[in-house]
Amino acid sequence: MKRIVILLLVCFTTITGFSQEIKGNSVSGKEIAPTWPGCENNDAKDVCFKQMLAKHIQQNFKYPADYTKEDKGSKIIVEFIINKEGKAEIKNVSEGRKSLQEAAKKTILNIPEMKAGSLNGKPKAISYKIPFTF
């Protein structure tokens, strides 16, 4: 019985402690991710974007001529944005050999133009970070 009373007291205190009314606050806007071509009518546009990006990388990545078995297991990190015009721009590429970095950059820069992301209805650049593991 003591446990039930203590539990009810804790629950009541927690509920009343966090049920204060806050006036004047509202959500100022919602960030919307870029829309990949073909994902416009998809309810889960962000999931569609990720799937299409993965498919794009699989189909378009070209190994450099100097790729060797020593490169297996290496990793490249590509940071990029989809700018306000819906085009990919590279921000940074790190790790791995230069030729692998260039191949990864080329693949990202060949992403098709898309509907740009937005915030409060205005175009906004959206950042992404993709690992390429060989």
Side-chain angles (χ1 to χ4, degrees):
M1 182 68 173
K2 267 185 169 179
R3 288 182 184 173
I4 293 174
V5 172
I6 292 172
L7 181 62
L8 288 174
L9 183 59
V10 169
C11 288
F12 180 75
T13 304
T14 303
I15 291 170
T16 57
F18 292 107
S19 63
Q20 300 172 4
E21 185 176 334
I22 300 173
K23 296 182 180 179
N25 287 345
S26 63
V27 175
S28 61
K30 184 178 179 186
E31 188 175 84
I32 299 172
T35 305
W36 194 283
C39 295
E40 297 86 0
N41 297 322
N42 193 318
D43 290 336
K45 289 182 176 126
D46 57 334
V47 173
C48 185
F49 178 93
K50 290 174 186 173
Q51 290 172 340
M52 296 301 283
L53 178 59
K55 184 178 178 181
H56 170 81
I57 291 169
Q58 285 178 326
Q59 292 177 346
N60 296 291
F61 183 81
K62 304 284 188 253
Y63 286 92
D66 63 350
Y67 181 81
T68 65
K69 64 181 179 180
E70 284 79 33
D71 291 318
K72 190 172 184 174
S74 63
K75 185 166 149 181
I76 306 287
I77 307 292
V78 180
E79 296 176 59
F80 67 99
I81 63 167
I82 302 298
N83 67 21
K84 293 178 181 181
E85 290 78 40
K87 297 176 184 174
E89 288 181 21
I90 302 295
K91 288 297 178 188
N92 187 41
V93 181
S94 59
E95 303 183 36
R97 253 183 333 106
K98 188 76 172 166
S99 63
L100 292 173
Q101 289 180 357
E102 290 302 318
K105 280 172 48 175
K106 186 176 180 182
T107 303
I108 295 300
L109 289 173
N110 285 327
I111 288 175
E113 190 172 328
M114 58 190 75
K115 181 180 176 192
S118 63
L119 179 63
N120 295 330
K122 296 179 182 173
K124 180 182 187 302
I126 307 292
S127 299
Y128 294 94
K129 190 180 219 180
I130 302 290
F132 283 73
T133 305
F134 300 94

